[in-house]
Amino acid sequence: TDQRIRLASEVLQGIRLIKMQALETHFLKRLMSYRMSELVIAKTSSNTRALLHLLLSVAPTALFGATMFTYALCGHTLSPSKVFGSLALFNQLRFPLLMYPIVLSQLADAK
């Protein structure tokens, strides 16, 4: 972003010279290459953020299902009090896990 803004301000300051020497296409190509690299970074960041959000929003439900399945496989009986009690505990994990991708993306943006 800094390179693109620096080049754009350079173009605006020297627009007469650029027009007289017909350098518009050269500067336009440089500006567009900077812009395309910015778009690639933005798209990668957005896709990573979406994937993290998806994984961490599904994690508590999958973890609950896997835990109940493992508990039943070990030969224990699933009573409603055990299932609903553990469901309440796993639902308390949902908020911290939903905040985790937000914190990770903010840390990545800070770098």
Side-chain angles (χ1 to χ4, degrees), residues 1 16 18-19 22 29 31 35 46 65 69-70 73 97 99 102:
T1 303
R16 287 186 186 178
I18 291 171
K19 287 287 190 181
K29 286 178 186 176
L31 271 171
R35 181 65 183 144
S46 177
F69 182 72
T70 305
L73 277 180
L97 286 176
M99 288 293 122
I102 296 169

Side-chain angles (χ1 to χ4, degrees), residues 53 56 93-106:
H53 187 70
L56 292 174
L93 285 175
R94 190 173 300 273
F95 181 72
L97 286 176
L98 285 176
M99 288 293 122
Y100 191 66
I102 296 169
V103 170
L104 285 181
S105 66
Q106 287 177 350

Side-chain angles (χ1 to χ4, degrees), residues 35-51 109:
R35 181 65 183 144
M36 287 299 141
S37 65
E38 287 176 3
L39 286 176
V40 167
I41 291 169
K43 183 178 178 181
T44 304
S45 174
S46 177
N47 288 342
T48 304
R49 187 175 296 135
L51 181 63
D109 289 343

Side-chain angles (χ1 to χ4, degrees), residues 67-69 71-72 76-83:
T67 303
M68 290 297 112
F69 182 72
Y71 187 76
H76 301 285
T77 58
L78 290 175
S79 65
S81 62
K82 291 178 183 174
V83 172

Side-chain angles (χ1 to χ4, degrees), residues 1-14 18 27 30-31 34-35 38:
T1 303
D2 293 337
Q3 292 175 334
R4 184 176 55 90
I5 291 173
R6 198 174 310 125
L7 182 64
S9 65
E10 180 182 332
V11 167
L12 289 175
Q13 288 174 358
I18 291 171
F27 280 100
R30 282 180 55 194
L31 271 171
Y34 290 144
R35 181 65 183 144
E38 287 176 3

